[in-house]
Amino acid sequence: MYNSFFGWYLKCQSDTQTLAVIPAVHNKGNKRTCSIQVITDNDAWTVMFSADLFRRTRRNIFIGENQFGEKGIHLAIQTSQLTIRGKLDFGPLCPLKYDIMGPFALVPFMECRHSVRSMRHSVRGNVCINGQKYSFRNAWGYWEGDQGRSFPKEYIWTQCCFQGGALMLSVADIPMAGIHFTGIIGAILWLGKEYRIATYLGARVVRIQNKMVRIIQGNLELDVRLLEASERPLKAPAKGDMVRTIHESASCRAFYRLRKEGCILFAFETDKASFEFEYFS
């Protein structure tokens, strides 16, 4: 068994509450474990499970009584620190037109491969976490995945659903064939149109400073800025082992602006952004 991991990230967000759940399986040498991480506006938990409780099909992940997939999420967790019960139903998913990795999806031995299963879908249901009720009505969801050996050493990731659209962006240090380069993958839905921003389409970072990233690709220019973090610790893979600690703001203040040919398509500040800023240069 080689060092590897596979996991999904499912985020559900209403006007007042955010819940993200990460089911995953990880292999380190002959050791195989699985986990469910839960992150809210105010807290984060990691629950480890025996590997024999993990089961994956094309459309679902099962960990014990917990189920995750295109129809929704069912949670049933009981530990000394965490009690979760609830069910969330998803509406029709909104997949991208093609793989977010583009031609890099065909490159073998990549450290980490990203996938986007739904940019935006409706969420309805209730979850109770340690006695606190999370109620989702007219709420939005987002669903992505990662697999490989390790998370990038340095990276920026952000995601946001907003009026008229949704976006995700990842900027990361990518090791390949003995060299390193800055890799960019991003997708923006805006008024029914999909915009793709990626290294394989000519995107390049022109500025990373003060929690702000500016990317230019042809006549498109995207600005992303983390304004106020609300970080909670999460576990991330390093050579298949969940020993690295990263920090995610599941719901925080951020600014986004997209320009095309110098004209602003949208520019807004929100307190519903999700952000991981693990970039130190």
Side-chain angles (χ1 to χ4, degrees):
M1 189 180 295
Y2 63 97
N3 300 335
S4 65
F5 75 96
F6 173 89
W8 286 346
Y9 174 94
L10 302 105
K11 173 186 164 186
C12 305
Q13 191 169 53
S14 69
D15 288 339
T16 57
Q17 294 176 307
T18 302
L19 170 65
V21 189
I22 308 168
V25 62
H26 359 90
N27 304 298
K28 174 68 173 178
N30 292 321
K31 177 185 175 185
R32 179 178 171 90
T33 57
C34 62
S35 63
I36 298 175
Q37 298 193 77
V38 178
I39 182 169
T40 67
D41 304 278
N42 302 310
D43 289 291
W45 300 268
T46 299
V47 183
M48 302 301 297
F49 293 85
S50 170
D52 58 11
L53 294 177
F54 181 91
R55 183 165 62 90
R56 175 191 170 195
T57 66
R58 190 172 68 88
R59 297 183 177 183
N60 294 280
I61 282 178
F62 301 87
I63 299 179
E65 298 179 55
N66 302 277
Q67 180 177 349
F68 314 86
E70 59 187 27
K71 298 297 184 183
I73 300 171
H74 177 264
L75 292 170
I77 299 174
Q78 179 72 57
T79 72
S80 58
Q81 281 85 36
L82 183 63
T83 300
I84 302 181
R85 290 287 186 277
K87 184 174 182 290
L88 300 173
D89 296 317
F90 294 170
L93 304 182
C94 183
L96 296 175
K97 292 180 179 178
Y98 62 97
D99 195 316
I100 190 67
M101 297 293 290
F104 285 100
L106 304 175
V107 177
F109 311 119
M110 289 199 70
E111 182 180 54
C112 185
R113 296 176 185 274
H114 198 73
S115 63
V116 175
R117 290 180 169 252
S118 179
M119 286 289 290
R120 180 184 173 104
H121 52 266
S122 63
V123 178
R124 183 178 181 86
N126 301 290
V127 174
C128 187
I129 304 177
N130 287 348
Q132 181 177 353
K133 185 178 180 181
Y134 287 76
S135 183
F136 296 93
R137 301 287 185 275
N138 302 314
W140 294 109
Y142 170 77
W143 179 10
E144 67 175 30
D146 287 289
Q147 62 181 317
R149 299 185 307 278
S150 304
F151 266 24
K153 180 181 178 181
E154 293 186 324
Y155 71 94
I156 299 161
W157 170 88
T158 187
Q159 188 278 327
C160 185
C161 291
F162 51 94
Q163 187 67 36
L167 66 81
M168 69 77 54
L169 175 71
S170 178
V171 178
D173 174 75
I174 308 296
M176 185 178 292
I179 64 169
H180 288 251
F181 67 93
T182 300
I184 303 164
I185 50 173
I188 302 163
L189 300 184
W190 175 241
L191 301 181
K193 185 173 181 179
E194 178 183 314
Y195 296 87
R196 181 71 60 98
I197 293 178
T199 302
Y200 53 81
L201 296 177
R204 57 190 177 89
V205 174
V206 295
R207 181 183 176 192
I208 297 181
Q209 185 180 6
N210 299 326
K211 304 292 185 180
M212 180 266 192
V213 184
R214 175 171 293 162
I215 295 169
I216 290 178
Q217 176 184 292
N219 60 13
L220 295 175
E221 183 176 306
L222 177 64
D223 288 307
V224 170
R225 183 188 292 271
L226 174 59
L227 297 175
E228 184 178 352
S230 57
E231 295 178 338
R232 308 295 170 204
L234 289 176
K235 292 297 181 183
K239 296 182 179 178
D241 204 1
M242 300 293 279
V243 295
R244 178 179 174 185
T245 299
I246 61 172
H247 296 86
E248 177 176 325
S249 299
S251 183
C252 65
R253 286 182 58 237
F255 172 79
Y256 301 98
R257 180 175 61 197
L258 179 65
R259 290 189 281 200
K260 183 177 182 180
E261 297 178 345
C263 297
I264 296 176
L265 298 185
F266 61 71
F268 64 92
E269 183 180 318
T270 179
D271 61 359
K272 299 292 187 295
S274 295
F275 239 106
E276 294 173 15
F277 208 104
E278 301 284 324
Y279 210 94
F280 314 109
S281 299

